[in-house]
Amino acid sequence: MKKQPEITDATRESFVNAFFELAKTKSINRITIREITTLAGYNRTTFYRYFEDVYALVEYAEDKFLQLIRKTSEERYGGMPLGERQFFETILSCCHQNKERVSILMSEQNRAHFMRKAKETVETYLDWINNDTPKKRIVRDVYFYGIFHAISINLQSQDALPDEDLLDMIQTMFNSWYLPEMTKNA
């Protein structure tokens, strides 16, 4: 007999919640499956029905967050308006809604992986990616990694910039450097 989807989703979320609870006080690279299953109230066999290992759980959490950005953007604006202020407002809004989880996903141990995955997700919305050059790839990497890093630092900072100021900086960078570099012929 198959379990109902609500039950399997709830079980999966129990593992994810346990992981994030542990990650509040422990490096994500040191969290064990035993700790997760004990806190979630399940056994290891049940864990392995949902995740191959702790890293698969982290990937699942990253995917869920990136899906939230996409869903929120589609609900608000009908899609992913790249380069527009609304896109970054959407990211900031989703980060604030999930501040604890995003802070853990963007922690020092996972930041590079998460930002690479976020950039790859965002790139799926770029219509000019077919006209790519090595220079454009570098410009795009610097821009996106820089923005995600700035959002991460601001999110975790005690004296964070107001969202409007951060959005103004991102918009200025986009208009004065990123867009001109990406639209140059080369």
Side-chain angles (χ1 to χ4, degrees):
M1 173 169 26
K2 285 199 166 224
K3 292 184 180 181
Q4 296 176 341
E6 303 85 34
I7 294 171
T8 59
D9 289 346
T11 304
R12 184 180 291 111
E13 281 306 308
S14 293
F15 291 127
V16 172
N17 290 336
F19 168 81
F20 280 109
E21 191 60 36
L22 291 164
K24 289 179 185 177
T25 59
K26 190 173 187 175
S27 167
I28 65 174
N29 295 328
R30 297 210 178 261
I31 296 173
T32 67
I33 292 171
R34 180 179 306 271
E35 291 170 316
I36 294 169
T37 56
T38 299
L39 187 57
Y42 293 95
N43 61 40
R44 292 174 66 90
T45 304
T46 305
F47 179 89
Y48 287 118
R49 284 187 200 138
Y50 296 92
F51 303 106
E52 182 177 315
D53 54 24
V54 176
Y55 299 107
L57 186 150
V58 172
E59 286 223 16
Y60 171 80
E62 291 171 338
D63 289 342
K64 291 288 280 187
F65 179 71
L66 295 169
Q67 288 170 5
L68 174 66
I69 291 173
R70 181 179 181 174
K71 180 181 178 211
T72 303
S73 182
E74 287 172 354
E75 288 171 357
R76 289 182 181 177
Y77 309 110
M80 294 287 266
L82 270 190
E84 297 177 21
R85 188 177 190 95
Q86 293 90 351
F87 173 71
F88 297 108
E89 286 173 348
T90 300
I91 292 175
L92 284 172
S93 170
C94 292
C95 285
H96 287 303
Q97 289 173 26
N98 299 279
K99 186 174 181 174
E100 280 187 357
R101 285 188 176 194
V102 171
S103 293
I104 291 165
L105 291 173
M106 289 185 155
S107 67
E108 199 63 39
Q109 302 88 15
N110 197 59
R111 182 177 301 145
H113 182 269
F114 179 76
M115 289 193 308
R116 184 173 43 255
K117 188 169 202 150
K119 184 184 81 67
E120 288 169 2
T121 300
V122 168
E123 285 179 341
T124 64
Y125 300 99
L126 300 175
D127 58 354
W128 38 259
I129 204 91
N130 295 332
N131 190 16
D132 214 6
T133 64
K135 181 180 177 182
K136 287 182 180 181
R137 284 191 296 274
I138 291 169
V139 169
R140 191 172 54 249
D141 283 357
V142 168
Y143 179 69
F144 283 113
Y145 286 134
I147 288 173
F148 283 115
H149 186 71
I151 289 171
S152 169
I153 289 172
N154 203 52
L155 192 65
Q156 297 172 30
S157 177
Q158 296 292 342
D159 59 343
L161 285 174
D163 283 353
E164 285 302 312
D165 291 350
L166 183 58
L167 288 166
D168 287 344
M169 286 174 49
I170 291 169
Q171 190 70 46
T172 298
M173 206 178 357
F174 180 83
N175 290 330
S176 63
W177 178 70
Y178 180 76
L179 188 60
E181 286 297 320
M182 294 306 285
T183 55
K184 281 182 184 176
N185 293 336

